[in-house]
Amino acid sequence: INYYNPKTNLIDTNNVANLLLNKNSMIIGDLNCKHKNWNNPQNNPGGNSLNETLQNIDLTHSEHTEYTYKNPATGAESTIDIALWDPKNIISDIKTQNEKEVGSDHTPVTFKTTIKEKLQKFKINNKIKQYHKVNWGNLNNLFSQKFQNTPSTKNEIDHTINKLEKHINTVNKLIPEITINRTNHGINKDIRKDIQEKRRLLKEYKRTRNPIIKNQVNRLIKKIQKAIKDSENRLMNKHIDQANSKNSKESWKGINKILGQDPKPTIKKIFNPITKTDTSIKDEIAEIFKNAQKEIFQGNETSDQENENDVNSWYNQQNFTTEPSNENFFTTDEISKTIKNLKNNKAPGIDTIKNTLIKYLEPSLSPILKKIFDSCYDIGYFPKRWKEGKVIMLYKNKGAKNDTKNYRPITLLNQFGKLFEKTLEIKIRKWAEENNKINKEQSGFRKKRNTNDQLYLLTQKIYEAFNRKSGIDAIFIDFEKCFDKIWKKGLLYKLHLMNIPKKDLNIINSFLHNRNIYLS
């Protein structure tokens, strides 16, 4: 950090301390602080204040052997260009060297910095599941045997889901893992070939004990070590260039990679509207976000009281559950196809089950999930476990970081719950398309159509207006938080008027109500 403190100002020692203690950084600059501890003949108020701060927080500073400033009027010499750093952070040592005068009242100073060795390699420890070492055929057979019965009540469905999660997490623990400790140097193809050749020669040497082969191995090892080091340096230089980017987002990416820091977002403090102060206590932050989200999900007031009364009256008279009929509503092939289309890199929810594991267990899971899905749809019950979400609040990269309005929630849901949603969506979409329940002008959320269709339509209308030498009016409406604030009872009532099948209406009602989220 290049820090300049004007001669007329008393240095802000709190700011200096926060910069050094909270960041892996150092401060270098003209601080206009004089103290005998850093080679000055006398102290000034700024020097006394800074020296006291350094003693209290155990900071290290460089000590110059020569003066760095000469007063042009009096000729008095002093050391006011200094470096400060926290020894507990990345800087292990700073050496200074005064350069020749260049016609300025300040003598140029070269700072030579030693970065701690462990941060130059920024090691990454990866735990990788060895899925290929598991006998999935036997495991799928065992799974199928454990879930023969079809649940028919809410309690039975909940019990089956809990049992299924428990067994899958047990299987997950049994999958062997390997820990790869590697430096992020990005080994290229040439280095990999040399490593393979080295291994081949080592085997041959162990078999023949030929000294010529041993010399070849030694030369190859030196070549590989040099290539890896050069690769590490290239990548480090790339990260340094990225850190110097004018784009702050790219700059912090580079800094995080250099320091080996986790770029995952953390919320340090949030403004508490009750106490009118910032808080860093996790429980209080969670409570503040809960109240903010609760306010958002309250919904909008309706302007038509008579219509609202009619909807509420209809809703209160409805029975959104039905007796089980034991019919088949979904097919194993539908569920199997949905599982195979899952993306491996999607983060799991509270169940902690990853899509990769679900795919390996697909042969046994598809028929098990079919039984659960059929029962849920039959009685109009979306399981409680599948309505629990783990919420991560992400900063929108604009506005104050302590304001809840500048964060948006990302909810990680139960994997099997998402599978059920996708299966239901296919079923309801098919009904809507076949019965012409969707406005023909709608392009979003429809197969073989997208929002670009509307752009093409608008462009065509504009061309036609030009040809007629007339104007065209366009109105664009953005409904703020429309999905968050949707009137659930009104939505169900509209679906009822569209003659949606009773079982679809029941499961949608169950899906919409009594949902819970947990702040991660």
Side-chain angles (χ1 to χ4, degrees):
I1 298 169
N2 187 9
Y3 198 110
Y4 173 69
N5 182 63
K7 190 182 297 185
T8 55
N9 292 357
L10 185 65
I11 190 166
D12 186 349
T13 52
N14 289 330
N15 187 30
V16 170
N18 288 332
L19 286 171
L20 293 170
L21 291 175
N22 295 332
K23 304 283 186 184
N24 284 319
S25 58
M26 62 180 175
I27 291 176
I28 299 177
D30 178 5
L31 305 185
N32 276 302
C33 292
K34 299 179 183 179
H35 198 277
K36 292 179 180 179
N37 282 356
W38 47 90
N39 205 25
N40 285 285
Q42 60 185 9
N43 304 344
N44 66 2
N48 288 330
S49 178
L50 183 59
N51 182 66
E52 184 180 353
T53 300
L54 297 179
Q55 299 299 326
N56 290 337
I57 62 176
D58 188 28
L59 283 182
T60 304
H61 60 276
S62 76
E63 294 185 3
H64 303 269
T65 56
E66 300 177 30
Y67 297 113
T68 63
Y69 173 73
K70 186 175 183 178
N71 190 311
T74 64
E77 297 174 321
S78 57
T79 303
I80 56 178
D81 302 283
I82 59 176
L84 305 172
W85 75 96
D86 184 352
K88 296 187 291 295
N89 288 341
I90 64 170
I91 314 298
S92 60
D93 187 28
I94 293 181
K95 295 180 180 178
T96 58
Q97 178 182 346
N98 285 51
E99 302 293 338
K100 294 180 181 180
E101 293 188 15
V102 290
S104 169
D105 55 357
H106 285 258
T107 302
V109 180
T110 300
F111 291 90
K112 296 182 179 180
T113 308
T114 303
I115 307 294
K116 292 178 183 176
E117 179 68 20
K118 66 177 183 178
L119 288 170
Q120 287 182 334
K121 293 184 178 179
F122 42 92
K123 286 186 177 179
I124 300 173
N125 296 329
N126 281 346
K127 286 188 176 181
I128 299 176
K129 292 282 187 182
Q130 300 290 90
Y131 290 103
H132 63 280
K133 291 188 176 181
V134 177
N135 189 330
W136 293 105
N138 289 342
L139 206 54
N140 277 298
N141 288 333
L142 289 172
F143 247 78
S144 299
Q145 294 171 13
K146 288 182 179 292
F147 295 90
Q148 295 289 333
N149 298 329
T150 301
S152 58
T153 65
K154 293 180 181 180
N155 289 336
E156 289 178 0
I157 290 171
D158 289 337
H159 175 74
T160 304
I161 290 171
N162 291 332
K163 181 181 174 182
L164 186 60
E165 282 187 19
K166 183 179 178 181
H167 278 76
I168 291 176
N169 282 315
T170 301
V171 170
N172 188 49
K173 292 177 183 178
L174 296 175
I175 299 172
E177 292 180 337
I178 58 170
T179 302
I180 297 179
N181 299 318
R182 62 182 178 85
T183 53
N184 193 10
H185 45 57
I187 297 176
N188 59 36
K189 291 181 180 179
D190 293 334
I191 298 176
R192 289 196 190 98
K193 287 181 180 178
D194 287 339
I195 292 173
Q196 290 173 355
E197 178 65 12
K198 181 200 74 173
R199 290 170 180 168
R200 187 190 68 78
L201 289 173
L202 273 175
K203 289 180 181 178
E204 189 173 344
Y205 171 72
K206 289 178 181 179
R207 182 174 56 83
T208 63
R209 295 294 173 181
N210 187 334
I212 297 175
I213 297 176
K214 179 63 175 175
N215 290 335
Q216 291 176 341
V217 171
N218 290 337
R219 284 196 298 270
L220 207 51
I221 288 173
K222 289 181 180 178
K223 180 184 176 183
I224 292 168
Q225 288 175 343
K226 184 179 183 303
I228 289 176
K229 190 170 184 179
D230 290 344
S231 182
E232 286 179 345
N233 290 335
R234 282 195 301 271
L235 191 61
M236 177 60 79
N237 288 331
K238 178 183 175 183
H239 295 332
I240 290 172
D241 290 340
Q242 190 178 22
N244 289 328
S245 170
K246 292 182 179 179
N247 184 314
S248 61
K249 187 176 181 181
E250 289 299 311
S251 178
W252 277 111
K253 281 183 182 178
I255 291 170
N256 285 328
K257 287 175 181 176
I258 292 169
L259 302 178
Q261 292 181 341
D262 187 356
K264 290 180 181 177
T266 55
I267 301 172
K268 294 182 179 179
K269 58 183 180 179
I270 288 293
F271 179 75
N272 190 330
I274 298 175
T275 61
K276 305 297 181 183
T277 58
D278 289 344
T279 179
S280 57
I281 301 172
K282 289 184 178 180
D283 288 345
E284 288 185 12
I285 290 175
E287 187 69 19
I288 293 167
F289 272 116
K290 185 195 81 170
N291 293 333
Q293 292 300 304
K294 186 177 180 181
E295 184 178 342
I296 290 172
F297 285 96
Q298 284 298 321
N300 296 311
E301 294 183 3
T302 58
S303 57
D304 188 341
Q305 189 63 48
E306 184 178 349
N307 182 53
E308 183 178 358
N309 292 336
D310 290 342
V311 171
N312 288 332
S313 176
W314 167 85
Y315 183 84
N316 293 332
Q317 293 175 11
Q318 294 302 303
N319 178 14
F320 288 102
T321 58
T322 54
E323 292 298 322
S325 61
N326 298 321
E327 295 181 43
N328 293 318
F329 303 101
F330 305 101
T331 66
T332 306
D333 289 340
E334 287 175 344
I335 298 170
S336 176
K337 184 178 179 181
T338 307
I339 290 175
K340 290 174 181 178
N341 288 334
L342 292 174
K343 295 181 180 179
N344 292 341
N345 60 350
K346 288 292 184 180
I350 294 174
D351 57 347
T352 70
I353 298 172
K354 294 186 176 181
N355 286 341
T356 305
L357 182 54
I358 293 175
K359 286 184 176 181
Y360 275 101
L361 290 171
E362 181 275 322
S364 58
L365 278 179
S366 292
I368 296 170
L369 291 175
K370 179 194 176 323
K371 295 176 183 178
I372 298 174
F373 291 178
D374 279 340
S375 297
C376 290
Y377 182 76
D378 198 12
I379 64 174
Y381 175 61
F382 201 95
K384 294 178 183 177
R385 180 65 171 169
W386 295 352
K387 292 192 283 189
E388 296 175 349
K390 182 169 68 173
V391 173
I392 299 173
M393 303 302 298
L394 295 181
Y395 177 60
K396 296 179 180 178
N397 290 322
K398 62 178 182 180
K401 286 191 175 181
N402 66 340
D403 189 348
T404 56
K405 293 179 181 178
N406 297 325
Y407 289 81
R408 60 185 179 90
I410 296 294
T411 307
L412 303 179
L413 297 170
N414 186 295
Q415 301 292 58
F416 295 135
K418 288 194 289 186
L419 275 172
F420 188 32
E421 288 178 34
K422 289 177 182 178
T423 310
L424 279 173
E425 187 266 342
I426 293 170
K427 186 177 183 63
I428 295 172
R429 180 197 295 274
K430 184 180 178 182
W431 167 82
E433 293 284 3
E434 289 178 350
N435 292 276
N436 298 317
K437 297 297 182 181
I438 304 176
N439 192 304
K440 64 179 182 179
E441 276 79 29
Q442 179 174 327
S443 296
F445 310 105
R446 301 183 73 177
K447 278 190 175 182
K448 299 181 180 180
R449 297 181 65 175
N450 57 48
T451 50
N452 287 337
D453 296 345
Q454 299 298 338
L455 294 176
Y456 298 141
L457 178 62
L458 178 61
T459 304
Q460 181 64 31
K461 294 290 184 183
I462 292 172
Y463 280 134
E464 290 175 359
F466 275 136
N467 292 333
R468 294 194 305 269
K469 296 183 180 181
S470 63
I472 183 170
D473 297 326
I475 299 174
F476 299 90
I477 301 175
D478 180 13
F479 293 98
E480 182 185 19
K481 297 181 174 64
C482 62
F483 290 104
D484 300 337
K485 292 179 173 289
I486 194 168
W487 183 22
K488 296 175 184 176
K489 293 178 182 178
L491 172 64
L492 293 166
Y493 184 66
K494 282 191 174 183
L495 291 172
H496 162 70
L497 295 179
M498 293 169 65
N499 295 318
I500 191 172
K502 175 65 174 172
K503 289 187 181 296
D504 287 337
L505 189 67
N506 292 347
I507 197 68
I508 292 173
N509 176 70
S510 180
F511 169 81
L512 290 173
H513 291 89
N514 301 318
R515 303 189 70 89
N516 295 298
I517 57 174
Y518 304 89
L519 186 65
S520 175

